[in-house]
Amino acid sequence: MPALEIKNISKIYKKGTVKALDNFSVTLTPGIYGLLGPNGAGKSTLMNIITDNLNSDSGEVLYDGENIKKLGKKYRNILGYMPQQQGLYDDFTLNRFLWYMAALKGLKRREAKLKITSLLGTVNLTYAAHKKLGSFSGGMKQRALIAQALLNDPKILILDEPTAGLDPKERIRIRNFISEIAEDKIVLISTHVVSDIEFIAKEIILLKNGKLISHDTCSNLTKNIEHKVIEAETNKENLKYFQENYRMSNLYYNDDKVIVRLVTDTPPENCKIQEVKATLEDLYLYVFESEKKI
Ligand code: ADP
């Protein structure tokens, strides 16, 4: 089974003041990985290094045991990368954009024609092939970007925030779509939206300040906060207290009561509480948000 080994990668910016990646190591095998972390965690830096668009200061990336720098073109031939939307090709029709990207990737004409026709169908954009990208909705643009990443039938697929700027319906559609095309590929999806990857990723990689916090299945990760997720009953008057002092992942109103969902090591006393099953979103809060006063 081919593996992508990311070994002891560090990247330092601003004359040593920002460690965008700090001795980061992880090994990826075929399947979907969710790379989760807040803005500034180092996700884009990591993706740029994996896709060989950026040099690290130390460490190395190996595919099937060989350094990707040594593999060069061979590596790029098996790599698909979907960057964040930048509006670069707004004047191109989708068809022209895909032909252009196919040429950059070195596909032969015949091969490109077959691939573009089939990919337009896969991403449900055949009807829009001759429309300009500038006129596309957010979801259509994301699907166009995914299509170009798939032109060379990549073994490794790197997706940078694939659902950024999408409405919930488009988000679900893209998520299902990624899940369908992921077979036999190493897929790395960066996001700060937990629901994008909660049910489709085989493993979640948590990144904070350039450091690997954990790397595990979703169910093992949520086990770490078992017994720490509770629903507590309060009222409107006391709501502010909970908002200011606890990690609150949800709240809802029930008649004159307010039920708050908290992720905490120290449950509140003097109110009715009930333990609930932890989700990845609870874990995200637990890892990335500190409890204030308590
Ligand atoms: P993310 O993708 O998780 O939001 P990034 O990889 O973009 O995180 O950034 C990680 C850290 O590195 C941040 O503190 C960011 O400000 C810094 N950084 C990223 N790119 C540069 C750059 N070209 N020059 C200086 N600092 C940078």
Side-chain angles (χ1 to χ4, degrees):
M1 195 156 58
L4 187 69
E5 284 173 80
I6 299 147
K7 287 172 91 172
N8 310 106
I9 294 282
S10 291
K11 178 76 191 175
I12 299 167
Y13 284 119
K14 292 189 186 145
K15 299 187 184 112
T17 54
V18 177
K19 275 192 178 171
L21 286 174
D22 190 358
N23 201 20
F24 179 92
S25 298
V26 82
T27 296
L28 312 179
T29 54
I32 300 180
Y33 293 83
L35 177 62
L36 207 54
N39 285 329
K43 302 184 297 296
S44 297
T45 303
L46 179 64
M47 296 202 144
N48 279 321
I49 289 170
I50 294 177
T51 52
D52 200 18
N53 288 314
L54 183 71
N55 290 322
S56 61
D57 294 321
S58 55
E60 56 183 355
V61 182
L62 308 175
Y63 179 68
D64 238 354
E66 281 207 64
N67 192 308
I68 61 165
K69 299 247 170 236
K70 252 198 193 154
L71 287 170
K73 193 163 181 288
K74 262 198 214 156
Y75 179 66
R76 273 184 288 282
N77 283 346
I78 54 153
L79 184 71
Y81 177 41
M82 175 193 179
Q84 290 189 29
Q85 279 184 35
Q86 285 150 347
L88 273 181
Y89 301 102
D90 278 359
D91 279 338
F92 278 33
T93 63
L94 174 59
N95 205 42
R96 188 162 162 234
F97 170 65
L98 291 177
W99 273 99
Y100 174 73
M101 294 309 289
L104 286 185
K105 287 172 195 246
L107 267 73
K108 302 214 168 63
R109 264 194 85 75
R110 231 181 89 79
E111 200 185 348
K113 193 171 178 192
L114 287 173
K115 201 76 206 170
I116 289 171
T117 308
S118 99
L119 276 176
L120 283 171
T122 314
V123 298
N124 278 318
L125 284 176
T126 307
Y127 72 97
H130 300 289
K131 294 198 169 111
K132 282 191 176 172
L133 295 180
S135 70
F136 278 25
S137 71
M140 289 165 80
K141 278 189 185 163
Q142 295 301 78
R143 280 183 278 142
L145 283 174
I146 294 183
Q148 66 75 31
L150 292 171
L151 277 168
N152 55 340
D153 228 341
K155 298 260 180 291
I156 302 170
L157 187 59
I158 309 288
L159 308 172
D160 197 350
E161 307 239 0
T163 63
L166 302 189
D167 66 35
K169 206 172 125 200
E170 286 176 325
R171 207 171 261 282
I172 292 165
R173 194 160 173 192
I174 292 281
R175 193 170 61 205
N176 291 341
F177 174 67
I178 292 169
S179 189
E180 275 165 34
I181 56 168
E183 211 186 341
D184 302 335
K185 297 185 200 308
I186 294 171
V187 183
L188 182 64
I189 305 174
S190 98
T191 183
H192 51 252
V193 183
V194 172
S195 59
D196 278 358
I197 47 162
E198 181 158 22
F199 301 110
I200 62 168
K202 76 166 176 177
E203 281 172 27
I204 310 284
I205 298 163
L206 294 172
L207 187 62
K208 186 178 183 180
N209 298 329
K211 286 198 176 77
L212 177 72
I213 300 292
S214 13
H215 167 209
D216 213 332
T217 61
C218 191
S219 61
N220 280 342
L221 285 173
T222 50
K223 261 186 214 140
N224 293 330
I225 52 163
E226 235 174 340
H227 313 304
K228 293 184 195 294
V229 188
I230 54 158
E231 285 189 346
E233 200 176 296
T234 182
N235 51 37
K236 274 186 198 156
E237 288 70 42
N238 288 322
L239 181 57
K240 203 162 184 283
Y241 167 79
F242 286 99
Q243 282 169 330
E244 283 173 356
N245 292 286
Y246 287 90
R247 296 182 201 90
M248 191 185 291
S249 62
N250 202 359
L251 90 167
Y252 60 91
Y253 293 86
N254 191 355
D255 296 328
D256 54 345
K257 287 175 281 182
V258 182
I259 314 293
V260 290
R261 184 186 179 103
L262 311 174
V263 190
T264 181
D265 294 311
T266 43
E269 287 164 10
N270 309 323
C271 68
K272 204 170 140 196
I273 63 171
Q274 184 191 352
E275 213 177 284
V276 287
K277 196 172 177 330
T279 64
L280 192 60
E281 196 158 58
D282 296 318
L283 178 88
Y284 186 95
L285 265 194
Y286 188 74
V287 171
F288 295 115
E289 205 177 291
S290 53
E291 234 166 359
K292 291 121 200 173
K293 275 193 212 149
I294 308 161

